[in-house]
Amino acid sequence: MQFIDLKAQQQLIRQKIEDNIKKVLDHGRYIMGPEIGELEEKLAAYVGSKHAMGCASGTDALMLALLALEIGPGDAVFTSPFTFFATGEVIALLGATPVFVDIDPVTFNLDPALLASAIAAVQERGDLEPRVIMPVDLFGLPADYDAINRIADEHNLAVVEDAAQAMGGEYQGKMACALGKLGCTSFFPAKPLGGYGDGGMVFCDDDDLDRVLRSLRVHGQGEDKYDNVRLGINGRLDTMQAAVLLAKLELLPGEMKARQEVAARYAELIAASGAALTAPTVPSGYASAWAQYSVMAESQTARGEFLERLKAAGIPSAIYYPKPLHLQTAFAYLGHQAGDFPLSESAGERVFSLPMHPYLAAGDQEKVVAALAGK
Ligand SMILES: *Cc1c(COP(=O)(O)O)cnc(C)c1O
């Protein structure tokens, strides 16, 4: 059993992938070839955003979004500590300060109820200027954007959506990646829409921001190649990756449906198994992209036992994320300690992820849950 089965997917579209790659070999435009614009157009339409800009990774997508907003030293960016390292990393790399806000223990996403006091605390201290809220759509489930955008508007902050795991997710009739001022996703192979290498995309409706993003992607380019009007990066998406992604994009809507079915089946099996586990909750009006199917044990010890049972049955599992960002060595300079964000810490101790992909057979899911239940 695979944790994420990329081979089953490839079998369905192998010919299409080879045809698309052959086209790139024939035209030879490996950098910014026509596949980039085609993918950007199709994905903008899919998520319902005016603009989409391909870039080199999800990390670069986040960094380019913050660069476009001119975030730097003295700026506060509010984000969740229960996420992949890159979310906080890009903030700090630009010289801005990550200000962590604890999570909702049910959705694992940034808790909007804690945002106002976090913003007030920064304002009171007076050394940083609140600029951006960067919620993460963890495991593919969008954060609560109605509440977050309302607070952002009140305080004149921009919302940058970290939708690296959430392509295909939905929130109140809108698609993930289109839920803030800027949306950022990743095409890392294991993500819901993954290429065969690194890649990412930034989405927005704002013409000016899109123009700046496209300049930042190529070293702050101005009118032509040798005119540089700002500091940027080499952040382009490869034509080859766009060619692969165009083939995979055709499967995405069907795969999203299949993921919902796999998730529903897990929930039923877990409920019937009697295992002391909390299955994920998807609030009404939301759809998860199910990048991960993450369950929660009652304690760290109990999680260890579940992981042992899976291992003994030869079933792969993973822990996302064992160490919240505020306790990472790289962020020691922020001066946090254990206990500062108790819900993120507790999730880090108790959450683990089961095999999850659109091609997961019902029989395999039964094996997973039987192993969890110790049967
Ligand atoms: C994967 C991921 C990223 C980074 O994406 P890369 O393409 O690997 O650079 C950022 N944030 C979150 C939440 C992620 O899961």
Side-chain angles (χ1 to χ4, degrees):
M1 196 183 316
Q2 304 283 314
F3 189 67
I4 293 176
D5 194 344
L6 295 176
K7 280 212 179 109
Q9 179 197 51
Q10 190 186 87
Q11 275 177 358
L12 298 175
I13 47 163
R14 175 75 185 224
Q15 193 56 50
K16 176 83 187 164
I17 292 170
E18 286 184 13
D19 291 348
N20 283 7
I21 290 175
K22 183 175 176 299
K23 272 190 227 159
V24 178
L25 296 178
D26 287 343
H27 68 56
R29 293 175 59 191
Y30 305 117
I31 300 294
M32 295 305 293
E35 284 80 2
I36 304 287
E38 195 185 335
L39 181 70
E40 289 173 343
E41 238 171 69
K42 286 191 167 154
L43 274 173
Y46 179 76
V47 312
S49 181
K50 187 168 179 195
H51 301 288
M53 187 198 70
C55 61
S57 68
T59 306
D60 274 6
L62 293 169
M63 186 154 76
L64 287 162
L66 293 181
L67 281 168
L69 295 169
E70 300 185 3
I71 299 306
D75 293 335
V77 178
F78 301 86
T79 194
S80 163
F82 190 52
T83 179
F84 179 59
F85 186 66
T87 313
E89 181 185 34
V90 292
I91 299 166
L93 209 50
L94 295 179
T97 302
V99 177
F100 297 119
V101 178
D102 214 351
I103 55 169
D104 174 314
V106 172
T107 63
F108 304 127
N109 284 327
L110 187 148
D111 186 349
L114 303 174
L115 254 177
S117 60
I119 295 167
V122 167
Q123 281 168 334
E124 207 160 292
R125 237 177 35 216
D127 54 340
L128 295 172
E129 190 189 346
R131 293 286 311 277
V132 171
I133 305 169
M134 198 148 92
V136 181
D137 303 339
L138 201 72
F139 304 140
L141 181 72
D144 184 359
Y145 286 91
D146 284 347
I148 291 168
N149 284 325
R150 197 176 327 115
I151 295 166
D153 288 346
E154 274 166 26
H155 296 273
N156 197 23
L157 310 179
V159 173
V160 175
E161 177 187 5
D162 182 346
Q165 304 180 2
M167 176 62 74
E170 294 174 37
Y171 175 83
Q172 312 299 355
K174 291 182 81 179
M175 298 299 286
C177 300
L179 301 174
K181 190 166 185 67
L182 292 141
C184 303
T185 201
S186 163
F187 303 129
F188 183 81
K191 308 278 167 150
L193 177 62
Y196 291 148
D198 282 308
M201 200 162 275
V202 188
F203 299 87
C204 69
D205 286 335
D206 186 311
D207 297 344
D208 291 331
L209 275 178
D210 183 64
R211 194 176 36 77
V212 172
L213 282 165
R214 282 170 200 280
S215 160
L216 287 165
R217 172 170 69 175
V218 269
H219 305 290
Q221 188 172 298
E223 309 242 300
D224 65 59
K225 207 170 168 177
Y226 299 106
D227 177 36
N228 301 85
V229 295
R230 54 175 68 79
L231 299 177
I233 61 174
N234 173 359
R236 292 172 297 236
L237 178 65
D238 284 341
T239 308
M240 282 289 189
Q241 290 310 328
V244 170
L245 287 161
L246 280 168
K248 290 200 175 200
L249 181 55
E250 292 180 15
L251 292 177
L252 186 65
E255 287 187 345
M256 275 302 140
K257 265 200 192 141
R259 285 175 189 273
Q260 306 311 321
E261 287 161 19
V262 170
R265 199 180 300 125
Y266 261 140
E268 274 172 34
L269 289 168
I270 289 169
S273 75
L277 278 175
T278 308
T281 299
V282 178
S284 127
Y286 293 60
S288 178
W290 296 112
Q292 304 293 341
Y293 191 87
S294 301
V295 295
M296 190 155 71
E298 287 176 343
S299 67
Q300 190 165 22
T301 315
R303 176 176 72 182
E305 285 162 13
F306 283 122
L307 293 174
E308 277 306 314
R309 289 177 187 171
L310 292 174
K311 198 173 161 198
I315 295 166
S317 62
I319 297 179
Y320 303 108
Y321 294 89
K323 196 193 270 190
L325 299 199
H326 67 285
L327 301 179
Q328 293 287 350
T329 308
F331 288 125
Y333 71 93
L334 293 172
H336 291 298
Q337 49 193 356
D340 282 359
F341 302 98
L343 296 167
S344 296
E345 291 166 29
S346 169
E349 288 169 1
R350 295 157 61 203
V351 169
F352 63 104
S353 305
L354 306 178
M356 178 76 204
H357 57 82
Y359 307 98
L360 189 59
D364 281 344
Q365 292 190 264
E366 284 163 15
K367 276 184 211 156
V368 173
V369 178
L372 288 170
K375 287 180 187 146

